[in-house]
Amino acid sequence: MPLLGHQSRGEARLRKLRLIIVGLLGVLCLTGIGLYTYGRARPAAPAAPGNVQAHDPSMIKQGHTYYVFATGGTIQIRKSTNLVSWELAGTVFDRIPDWITKAVGTIPDLWAPDISYFNGKYHLYYAGSHFGTNNSVIGLATNTTLDPGSRDYHWVDEGMVIDSLPASDNWNAIDPNLSFDSTGVPWLAWGSFWSGIKMRRLDLNTGKLSTVDQKLYALASRGGGAIEAPAILAHDGYYYLFVSFDRCCAGANSTYRIMVGRSTTITGPYLDSTGTSMLSGGGDQLLASYDNVHGPGGQSVYVDGQTTWLVHHYYDALANGAITLQIRKLTWTNEHWPHVAAPYKPSPGIFGFFL
């Protein structure tokens, strides 16, 4: 009898514990459903307005952290572990390098950075110029790490890569983009207005212009019209050239749109899906203004394992045309043309927490 009485009290405690667990699970499920519905109904909000105001963004990943470099001051840096919540992580330089001031005069900002990693270093190409002129330079800075907390973190000013002069050049040395061909040779594309998008081969060791191939290649043009911000992606036997058409930098009145063509060789010719050359103004429209997303452009592309990201800015018509960072997945049609997905946001998990 004492043993049976002990068992009854134990069973009562067990039943009580089970009821408590079931109740807690019920609360969690209801909360999860509510959060899940909320997550589905609205996109994840940015961490803070200043942290997503990135113009001409270029992205790369080191370890578990993504870094975005953007136009502004001495090149703004942002970081994130989830591609949604971004925080400022300093700038590349403390001040604009003296050689840039000597070349183009006093300017308030450095433009359109492009970040890549090769030969054991991060290579950051960027531009210095005056708006509306082709008195411009493209520079290079390198670093062995992107972690500002590392003892090895230090940006080295490698100086000028190329310049353009109004008296002699019909192209504009801004908006640089580095890419590699199938043999591992690096190439630099750049350009804005004038005669369009140009390209030169680089030296793998220095990151500067090659002395082996000194030809200036022409990739795309609109006969002096608005074309800029080249970004080249190698995929499935093709090289894809992404560019921005039309008007930038006018807030909600911007008409920027992202266009694309492809080639079987990195130096072109680049054609759109109708066979029209991008040297003749061709290009398939990938993304244009819609709803509050005005003037999407200034794009870069980043291959992150099995995922390819299109990283760009737009002007938010619901926020007085504020510059806003946006990241989207690229997918591919059966005809091997890129398709852009909706703006990225994490998927809600079983209890509504974003994963």
Side-chain angles (χ1 to χ4, degrees), residues 293-315:
V293 177
H294 289 198
Q299 69 289 325
S300 61
V301 287
Y302 177 59
V303 178
D304 181 18
Q306 298 300 310
T307 302
T308 301
W309 300 107
L310 178 73
V311 185
H312 65 92
H313 69 251
Y314 73 95
Y315 304 90

Side-chain angles (χ1 to χ4, degrees), residues 157-218:
D157 175 13
E158 305 283 1
M160 186 171 70
V161 178
I162 194 169
D163 64 346
S164 56
L165 300 172
S168 59
D169 300 312
N170 68 340
W171 43 269
N172 194 5
I174 68 170
D175 293 0
N177 172 251
L178 177 111
S179 57
F180 287 85
D181 65 22
S182 59
T183 66
V185 172
W187 297 82
L188 190 72
W190 70 87
S192 172
F193 286 77
W194 276 264
S195 62
I197 308 302
K198 307 298 182 185
M199 172 178 272
R200 281 284 306 269
R201 179 174 172 172
L202 298 182
D203 181 276
L204 185 63
N205 294 318
T206 65
K208 301 289 189 69
L209 297 181
S210 170
T211 57
V212 175
D213 183 353
Q214 300 184 47
K215 180 178 178 179
L216 180 68
Y217 295 87

Side-chain angles (χ1 to χ4, degrees), residues 75-154:
I75 302 297
Q76 301 170 2
I77 307 171
R78 290 167 174 81
K79 65 179 182 178
S80 173
T81 56
N82 62 7
L83 296 176
V84 174
S85 299
W86 293 88
E87 61 179 289
L88 291 169
T91 59
V92 173
F93 300 119
D94 293 330
R95 61 189 180 90
I96 292 176
D98 291 339
W99 68 265
I100 296 178
T101 303
K102 292 177 181 178
V104 302
T106 301
I107 56 175
D109 301 293
L110 299 176
W111 297 349
D114 178 81
I115 186 69
S116 58
Y117 182 82
F118 62 94
N119 271 3
K121 294 181 181 180
Y122 292 93
H123 289 66
L124 185 80
Y125 294 89
Y126 62 91
S129 185
H130 290 277
F131 197 83
T133 80
N134 70 332
N135 182 25
S136 310
V137 294
I138 291 174
L140 171 64
T142 59
N143 205 331
T144 57
T145 179
L146 298 181
D147 179 6
S150 169
R151 61 164 51 177
D152 298 321
Y153 183 82
H154 174 67

Side-chain angles (χ1 to χ4, degrees), residues 267-283:
T267 54
Y270 287 87
L271 310 177
D272 66 19
S273 61
T274 70
T276 302
S277 171
M278 294 187 76
L279 283 169
S280 300

Side-chain angles (χ1 to χ4, degrees), residues 177-181 189 199 230-242 260-263 265-266 270 286 300-305 307-310 330-332 336-339:
N177 172 251
L178 177 111
S179 57
F180 287 85
D181 65 22
M199 172 178 272
I232 294 176
L233 170 69
H235 178 80
D236 202 20
Y238 290 100
Y239 298 95
Y240 293 84
L241 172 60
F242 300 82
V260 65
R262 71 185 184 190
S263 173
T265 57
I266 199 167
Y270 287 87
L286 184 68
S300 61
V301 287
Y302 177 59
V303 178
D304 181 18
T307 302
T308 301
W309 300 107
L310 178 73
L330 281 181
T331 57
W332 303 90
H336 306 287
W337 286 100
H339 172 78

